[in-house]
Amino acid sequence: MLSETKEKAEMTAQIIAQQKNTVILTGAGMSTESGIPDFRSESGWWRKIDQLSIATAEAVEENYSVFHEFYSDRLSTLSECRPHEGHYCLASWEKSGLVTLLATQNVDGFHQKAGSVNVEELHGSIHRFRCHNCGEIADKEEFMRQKPCRECEGKLRPSVVLFGEMLPETAWQRSMELVEKAELVLVIGSSLQVYPVSQLPAITRGKTALINRDETSADTDFDLVMKGSAKEILQYMDNYLKNAEV
C-alpha cells in the first residue's frame, strides 16, 4: 500500500475514532474482492451485456427468459462467494459504536453475513423474491424453477431495484437522515454513477472519504480519497483503530 494511501487511511480512522458517528456507503467494489463481478469497470457486467435488456421492469415483462437466466447465474455465483475481511472490519466498527449506519447499493447480503446489523439495502436484496405483478412473496426455489406466482400467475423476480424503479422509501429516507447528521461519510467501492445514491455524500454536514480502486468523476468532491483494495485499506484502518484502543 502506498504511503499516501496509508496516511489518508490513518486520517480517516482518526475521524472515525474521535467522532463515533460515521455512515458507511458501499458499492459493487466492496464485493468484487469476494469474487463477485461488478457492473461498470472494464471487466464488469455492463461491458458484456446490454443492461436495458436485462435489469429493467420491461425485461421481466417482455424478455423473461433472459432476465431469469441472468439472475439465476448471479445467484449461483453468489452461492460460491463469501464476505471478505473488509466486511468483518465494518461489522466490528458497528459493534464498537463507531458506525451509526451502513447503507449499501449491493444486493448480496454480505454485510449481514459478516455481522453488520444496522444495514439499509438501497437497491434491495437478491435473496428475497416476489411476484412482479402483485408483490406476493415467493421463495428462491419457486424463482429458480420459473414457477408462476401462487396468487396471480405472474412472473417471479428477485426483490432488487431495477432501472427505472424507485428505491425502497424507508431505506432511502433513513439513509438521507443519518448521512446528513454524520460526522463522516465513508464511501467504499462505488463509482457514484447511479442516481440518486450518488447524491448522498453531498448532503452531509461532516467530512467525506472515498475508498475505490479506480478514479471517479466525484473524486474532487471528497475530503479524503484512497486508491486501492477496499479489503486491504479497511484492514489497515482496523489495525490502526485497534492499536489506538478505541
Side-chain angles (χ1 to χ4, degrees), residues 96-139:
S96 298
L98 303 176
V99 170
T100 54
L101 178 71
L102 197 161
T104 184
Q105 295 173 279
N106 298 333
V107 299
D108 50 48
F110 280 3
H111 288 299
Q112 293 92 326
K113 286 183 179 180
S116 291
V117 176
N118 199 7
V119 179
E120 293 294 354
E121 295 175 309
L122 297 172
H123 289 170
S125 171
I126 200 171
H127 300 296
R128 296 191 296 270
F129 305 87
R130 63 177 174 86
C131 174
H132 181 67
N133 292 337
C134 72
E136 176 71 15
I137 301 300
D139 59 38

Side-chain angles (χ1 to χ4, degrees), residues 6 8 24 26 28 32 51 54 63 78 85 89 97 104 108 110 115 118 122 137 161 171 183 186 204 221 234 237-238:
K6 289 182 178 180
K8 291 181 178 180
I24 307 289
T26 63
T32 53
Q51 57 195 14
I54 296 177
N63 202 6
L78 280 173
E85 290 87 345
C89 291
T104 184
D108 50 48
F110 280 3
N118 199 7
L122 297 172
I137 301 300
V161 177
E183 299 296 339
L186 174 58
T204 187
D221 298 329
L234 289 173
M237 292 171 63
D238 189 55

Side-chain angles (χ1 to χ4, degrees), residues 28 49 53 85 106 129 138 143 148 155 157 160 170 199-201 228 235:
I49 306 169
S53 71
E85 290 87 345
N106 298 333
F129 305 87
F143 172 74
K155 297 180 175 67
R157 54 170 283 186
V160 298
T170 300
Q199 306 303 303
L200 278 176
Q235 284 181 289

